[in-house]
């Protein structure tokens, strides 16, 4: 994470919020003095601005820990010795140590984190991309086991929550799951790939090079396994635009994930109404929309998990003085039926074997 200090104006705003004080005109002299003291402390005290340290600070500020954690500062005891008409002297007597610093235990697996960093470094060296990101999840719980990002342009912020990108064909798994769950398609339905030249109105939907385009007909399952844009557009157009967009929102797209790790971007889904040949067709293969890695990983994990959405988490528990408290987990929220998710997983296995 990144550390820094607050500028005076921001420090004063935070101090005012912390002390629950009104505007200066409505404050008493004592309140203004307290506000100045807290502001001065905040200006000169380094604090986390992003990363796990910021998340840990936020977690420990929850009032639930007031009765669980000991927050005693270090204290010194002095003997004051005053001789008449002589300067006062103080003699050190004893030290009362501060309470044990609470330990914030994360879900990060350090060995796995090192492997991810090495892979990202290798990717930058061999392929020279603008940036490379990676995230590893425990699918059943949404716990983040490793997450990292590297770039060649010294971008600011935590990229997995800040950098937005066009998801492209990785969005096809989501669109297929929605279509199956809405019962507008089955895995065995037949579609024409049109030799890689499917037309929606006046727009021609092209395919990437090397796609399976020569067959006159393919199943819906093959359309996803071979990542055929034209087939996914035909399937996605069967889902009403309002329904498709709402399903995206249900998965957390176009919303701040509230990871607690610092700066975030919400991404973008086109506003309704959608023209069938443009926005509606484009989102079916992941275009005309922007997502972050954090959002997209949570969405895809929902499919693999069997249809229940869980926010991604980094902090597991808090420990102090031999005691420990597990942080409560969010209740899973069902977004898809289990059958649709199982069908998409089978399609992806087909893609791994031959797609």
């Amino acid at each position: 994470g990144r550390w820094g200090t607050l500028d005076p104006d921001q420090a004063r705003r935070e101090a005012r919020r912390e002390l629950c004080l009104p505007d200066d005109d409505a404050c008493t002299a004592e309140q203004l003095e307290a506000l100045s003291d807290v502001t001065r402390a905040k200006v000169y005290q380094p604090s986390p601005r992003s990363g796990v340290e910021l998340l840990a600070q936020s977690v420990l500020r929850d009032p639930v820990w007031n009765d669980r954690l000991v927050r005693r500062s270090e204290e010194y005891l002095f003997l004051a010795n005053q001789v008449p008409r002589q300067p006062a002297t103080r003699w050190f007597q004893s030290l009362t140590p501060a309470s044990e610093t609470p330990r914030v235990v994360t879900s990060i697996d350090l060995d796995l984190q090192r492997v991810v960093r090495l892979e990202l470094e290798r990717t930058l060296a061999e392929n020279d991309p603008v940036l490379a990101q990676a995230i590893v999840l425990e699918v059943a719980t949404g716990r983040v086991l490793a997450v990292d990002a590297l770039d060649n342009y010294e971008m600011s912020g935590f990229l997995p929550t800040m950098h937005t990108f066009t998801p492209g064909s990785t969005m096809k798994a989501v669109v297929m799951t929605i279509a199956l769950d809405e019962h507008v398609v089955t895995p065995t339905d037949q579609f024409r790939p049109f030799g890689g030249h499917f037309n929606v109105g006046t727009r021609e939907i092209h395919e990437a090079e090397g796609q399976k385009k020569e067959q006159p007909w393919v199943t819906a399952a093959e359309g996803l396994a071979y990542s055929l844009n034209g087939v996914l557009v035909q399937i996605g157009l069967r889902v009403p635009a309002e329904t498709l967009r709402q399903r995206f929102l249900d998965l957390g797209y176009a919303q701040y994930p509230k990871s607690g790790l610092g700066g975030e971007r919400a991404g973008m889904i086109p506003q309704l109404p959608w023209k069938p040949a443009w926005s509606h067709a484009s989102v079916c293969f992941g275009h005309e929309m922007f997502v972050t890695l954090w959002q997209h990983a949570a969405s895809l994990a929902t499919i693999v998990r069997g249809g229940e959405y869980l926010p991604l988490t980094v902090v597991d528990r808090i420990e102090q003085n031999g005691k420990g408290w597990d942080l409560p987990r969010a209740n899973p929220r069902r977004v898809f039926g289990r059958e649709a998710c199982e069908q998409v997983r089978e399609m992806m296995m087909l893609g791994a074997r031959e797609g």
Side-chain angles (χ1 to χ4, degrees):
R2 183 173 58 85
W3 285 69
T5 56
L6 301 176
D7 64 68
D9 290 339
Q10 187 179 2
R12 192 172 181 84
R13 287 195 298 271
E14 289 201 7
R16 188 186 307 279
R17 184 168 57 251
E18 185 177 304
L19 296 173
C20 299
L21 295 179
D23 292 338
D24 288 356
D25 295 340
C27 288
T28 65
E30 292 78 8
Q31 288 174 328
L32 289 174
E33 184 177 355
L35 179 62
S36 297
D37 291 342
V38 175
T39 299
R40 194 177 304 111
K42 287 184 176 295
V43 167
Y44 294 107
Q45 179 180 353
S47 59
R49 308 258 66 90
S50 66
V52 173
E53 294 93 342
L54 179 64
L55 175 59
Q57 182 187 71
S58 175
V59 169
L60 291 174
R61 283 178 172 172
D62 191 318
V64 72
W65 303 111
N66 291 343
D67 297 329
R68 297 180 181 179
L69 300 177
V70 182
R71 302 176 186 269
R72 184 184 63 249
S73 300
E74 191 173 68
E75 296 177 352
Y76 295 88
L77 179 63
F78 291 90
L79 174 64
N81 189 6
Q82 178 76 55
V83 178
R85 295 185 295 276
Q86 295 295 324
T89 58
R90 297 201 308 163
W91 304 90
F92 173 76
Q93 296 294 298
S94 63
L95 163 67
T96 302
S99 56
E100 180 183 289
T101 303
R103 297 179 67 246
V104 179
V105 183
T106 75
S107 57
I108 300 297
D109 182 316
L110 290 181
D111 290 334
L112 190 55
Q113 183 77 17
R114 292 188 188 99
V115 171
V116 167
R117 170 54 68 102
L118 290 173
E119 284 297 311
L120 293 178
E121 290 175 346
R122 181 185 59 80
T123 299
L124 254 66
E126 294 181 359
N127 300 286
D128 195 31
V130 171
L131 64 91
Q133 307 181 83
I135 190 167
V136 185
L137 306 181
E138 185 178 76
V139 172
T141 63
R143 295 169 68 241
V144 177
L145 304 181
V147 58
D148 206 349
L150 294 174
D151 70 277
N152 282 319
Y153 292 89
E154 297 184 359
M155 297 181 183
S156 62
F158 183 56
L159 295 180
T161 60
M162 283 289 290
H163 175 70
T164 58
F165 60 93
T166 302
S169 291
T170 59
M171 203 69 190
K172 291 176 182 174
V174 177
V175 173
M176 178 64 80
T177 309
I178 294 171
L180 290 166
D181 207 45
E182 290 290 326
H183 305 290
V184 299
V185 72
T186 69
T188 56
D189 285 356
Q190 298 281 321
F191 293 88
R192 291 184 59 192
F194 293 96
H197 301 281
F198 173 63
N199 290 294
V200 182
T202 59
R203 180 185 181 186
E204 185 176 285
I205 306 296
H206 297 279
E207 302 290 349
E209 293 182 4
Q211 296 288 23
K212 181 179 180 180
K213 296 176 285 196
E214 63 277 2
Q215 287 81 355
W217 294 92
V218 296
T219 65
E222 291 173 325
L224 181 61
Y226 284 85
S227 191
L228 297 175
N229 293 344
V231 172
L232 264 295
V233 170
Q234 294 176 66
I235 293 172
L237 288 176
R238 293 183 177 184
V239 182
E242 296 80 5
T243 301
L244 193 58
R245 191 176 191 278
Q246 184 57 52
R247 291 288 196 132
F248 289 157
L249 294 175
D250 292 342
L251 289 165
Y253 294 113
Q255 299 168 75
Y256 295 104
K258 300 178 181 178
S259 67
L261 294 166
E264 296 181 343
R265 289 197 174 102
M268 186 277 293
I269 302 172
Q271 293 292 332
L272 297 171
W274 291 352
K275 293 183 178 179
W278 296 103
S279 293
H280 198 159
S282 292
V283 299
C284 294
F285 52 98
H287 284 243
E288 284 195 44
M289 62 187 306
F290 293 97
V291 305
T292 64
L293 178 65
W294 200 267
Q295 290 173 329
H296 204 35
S299 172
L300 296 176
T302 300
I303 300 173
V304 182
R305 190 181 295 119
E308 292 185 333
Y309 177 87
L310 282 171
L312 305 188
T313 61
V314 178
V315 176
D316 281 345
R317 59 189 276 112
I318 307 296
E319 297 176 348
Q320 188 189 47
N321 297 327
K323 298 179 181 179
W325 301 270
D326 292 332
L327 265 64
R329 298 285 176 189
N331 293 323
R333 175 168 51 85
R334 182 156 293 282
V335 178
F336 299 124
R338 185 169 295 278
E339 182 182 8
C341 295
E342 291 175 352
Q343 290 171 334
V344 169
R345 288 200 300 265
E346 291 173 359
M347 294 178 187
M348 298 307 293
M349 286 190 283
L350 174 64
R353 287 197 305 268
E354 60 180 78

